[in-house]
């Protein structure tokens, strides 16, 4: 009994640590100057051009940056959903989206103080859309797992 409680506490701590680590990674990327960010985007772009060819995408720097915003916050939304579930024992999708969206606001404000970067409502909207995808992905995964578990339990009961 005590072992189960300790495992739950450790599980919660790990989930919240993952949220914090993701937030730190986002903060780090947002701390990069516009020039440094362009270099990173160019490296990603070159990778895709090597795979798909030179004519892969036009306006690529913008696309790479917006996809990075979206994917960072998709991950954070998923991790918030996981941590809230671990903490409260039930999915809290709206809360995960809210917390992630609030962090996105702080991220945009932070960028005001970084050389060549700016605070954009458009980026916050992209971040929040990513948060919603991550939180809903967790919810769908949770519902699938719950359905599988219920099906197995019902099968054992009927045997």
């Amino acid at each position: 009994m005590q072992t189960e409680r300790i495992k739950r506490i450790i599980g919660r701590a790990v989930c919240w640590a993952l949220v914090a680590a993701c937030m730190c990674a986002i903060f780090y990327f947002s701390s990069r100057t516009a020039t440094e960010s362009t270099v990173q985007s160019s490296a990603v772009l070159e990778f895709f051009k090597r795979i798909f060819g030179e004519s892969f995408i036009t306006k690529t720097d913008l696309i790479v940056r917006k996809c990075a915003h979206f994917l960072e916050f998709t991950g954070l939304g998923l991790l918030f959903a996981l941590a809230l579930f671990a903490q409260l024992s039930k999915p809290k999708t709206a809360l995960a989206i809210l917390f992630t969206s609030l962090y996105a606001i702080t991220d945009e404000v932070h960028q005001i103080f970084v050389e060549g970067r700016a605070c954009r409502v458009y980026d916050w909207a992209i971040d929040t859309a990513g948060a919603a995808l991550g939180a809903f992905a967790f919810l769908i995964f949770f519902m699938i797992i719950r359905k599988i578990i219920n099906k197995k339990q019902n099968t054992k009961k009927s045997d």
Side-chain angles (χ1 to χ4, degrees):
M1 195 73 150
Q2 186 70 1
T3 305
E4 286 301 315
R5 184 173 177 271
I6 291 170
K7 285 181 184 179
R8 280 195 311 273
I9 291 169
I10 291 171
R12 289 176 186 149
V14 167
C15 290
W16 287 112
L18 290 171
V19 168
C22 188
M23 292 169 85
C24 288
I26 290 170
F27 184 87
Y28 169 76
F29 288 124
S30 291
S31 297
R32 311 287 286 175
T33 65
T35 304
E36 292 168 328
S37 182
T38 298
V39 170
Q40 285 177 318
S41 298
S42 296
V44 171
L45 178 60
E46 287 305 314
F47 171 76
F48 283 114
K49 281 185 176 180
R50 273 188 257 126
I51 294 171
F52 299 108
E54 281 297 317
S55 62
F56 176 56
I57 299 176
T58 58
K59 297 199 178 204
T60 50
D61 186 51
L62 178 69
I63 292 169
V64 167
R65 287 176 188 241
K66 299 313 167 193
C67 285
H69 267 271
F70 185 81
L71 292 173
E72 286 172 340
F73 284 89
T74 298
L76 185 58
L78 187 133
L79 290 172
F80 258 121
L82 175 63
L84 288 165
F85 175 76
Q87 190 71 43
L88 304 171
S89 300
K90 57 176 122 172
K92 295 290 184 181
T93 306
L95 204 53
I97 295 168
L98 175 66
F99 288 167
T100 308
S101 183
L102 290 172
Y103 186 72
I105 291 169
T106 67
D107 180 58
E108 289 305 313
V109 170
H110 166 237
Q111 289 182 43
I112 292 171
F113 304 101
V114 178
E115 180 185 324
R117 304 290 294 268
C119 177
R120 293 189 174 93
V121 172
Y122 180 73
D123 285 343
W124 166 78
I126 290 171
D127 298 345
T128 301
L133 176 64
F136 281 115
F138 174 81
L139 180 63
I140 290 167
F141 181 72
F142 169 80
M143 290 182 343
I144 290 169
I145 296 297
R146 185 173 63 184
K147 188 169 186 136
I148 291 168
I149 290 169
N150 287 343
K151 191 172 186 176
K152 283 186 178 182
Q153 287 174 344
N154 290 338
T155 303
K156 285 182 181 179
K157 287 180 184 177
S158 64
D159 288 344

